[in-house]
Amino acid sequence: MDLDLSALPARERILLTAHDLFYADGIRATGIDRVIAASAVTKVTFYRHFPSKDDLVRAFLDHRHARWMAWFVDALGRRGAHERSGDAQALLLLADVMAEWFTDPVFRGCAFINAVAEVGGSVEGAAERARDHKREMVEVIADLLPTTLPQRMALAQAAAIGIDGAIVKAQMGGAELVREAVEDLRRLLRALADAAAPTSPPSR
């Protein structure tokens, strides 16, 4: 963890510690005692802020959503997405954005896919938060496409499904699988961008 947490308020310290542990090692594998020890707080302090592990999991997902979406929008912006908004070929920027994430040393896949697999049926609100996260991702992708495009949301949904597939493949580990995941995604995005291109009327 690069950030020095010692000066942060207890709740924020617990949440950021849990974020890193849950994402790196999994929600089920990370017990409350480990979070308490790593956060350097007492049990009384922990339970004052998070009455149960489920409460901490929900807070983790809310924090992860805000953090990841901020990164996603910024990563697109750094590649000129704002200037190319409305150009369907801007969809191809998504492959470069995912390549940046997949090669991050702390990449462990999508926290929301992981959370649904682990606790989606047992932690109230977890699956709903995952759906909301994916819905917002689709909205950001749709903003890359022309607003007049009739199939705009359908294409954004297809791109999002492609991203999720690439995430899972990259999560399997190894530089070769990461490269394949990015290139597979790039091919899909190119096909979607071509599908969004206006067609010329047939010549007489």
Side-chain angles (χ1 to χ4, degrees):
M1 189 182 299
D2 295 330
L3 180 65
D4 180 10
L5 304 182
S6 60
L8 295 177
R11 186 185 189 282
E12 189 174 356
R13 193 161 71 246
I14 294 166
L15 180 55
L16 293 179
T17 299
H19 171 276
D20 289 358
L21 293 175
F22 284 167
Y23 183 63
D25 299 331
I27 294 170
R28 289 193 180 279
T30 303
I32 291 299
D33 288 344
R34 186 179 175 198
V35 175
I36 289 171
S39 305
V41 297
T42 66
K43 283 192 175 183
V44 171
T45 298
F46 176 89
Y47 285 109
R48 182 186 305 127
H49 294 289
F50 301 100
S52 70
K53 184 176 180 180
D54 286 5
D55 290 313
L56 180 60
V57 170
R58 285 186 284 268
F60 154 67
L61 292 173
D62 290 341
H63 174 76
R64 179 68 185 183
H65 170 71
R67 178 168 165 169
W68 193 89
M69 289 305 305
W71 168 81
F72 185 49
V73 171
D74 176 71
L76 284 167
R78 285 187 275 110
R79 289 166 174 81
H82 302 307
E83 292 77 8
R84 297 182 61 182
S85 180
D87 174 7
Q89 294 298 318
L91 284 176
L92 296 175
L93 297 175
L94 293 166
D96 296 327
V97 168
M98 290 300 110
E100 177 184 325
W101 185 30
F102 296 168
T103 53
D104 188 320
V106 301
F107 172 74
R108 296 294 183 275
C110 172
F112 294 87
I113 294 175
N114 296 345
V116 168
E118 284 197 85
V119 299
S122 58
V123 175
E124 184 179 354
E128 180 183 4
R129 283 166 169 79
R131 288 192 295 270
D132 289 344
H133 173 75
K134 296 302 181 182
R135 188 179 302 115
E136 188 167 331
M137 184 177 77
V138 169
E139 290 170 358
V140 171
I141 295 170
D143 284 343
L144 299 173
L145 294 166
T147 57
T148 56
L149 193 65
Q151 69 271 38
R152 180 170 173 254
M153 291 308 297
L155 289 173
Q157 289 276 10
I161 291 293
I163 287 172
D164 283 342
I167 290 169
V168 172
K169 186 169 186 176
Q171 190 178 2
M172 294 177 187
E176 183 62 21
L177 278 180
V178 167
R179 186 192 65 78
E180 288 180 8
V182 172
E183 290 311 309
D184 290 347
L185 177 61
R186 197 183 306 279
R187 280 191 291 272
L188 171 65
L189 295 170
R190 185 174 291 113
L192 293 174
D194 290 346
T199 56
S200 302
S203 56
R204 293 181 179 274

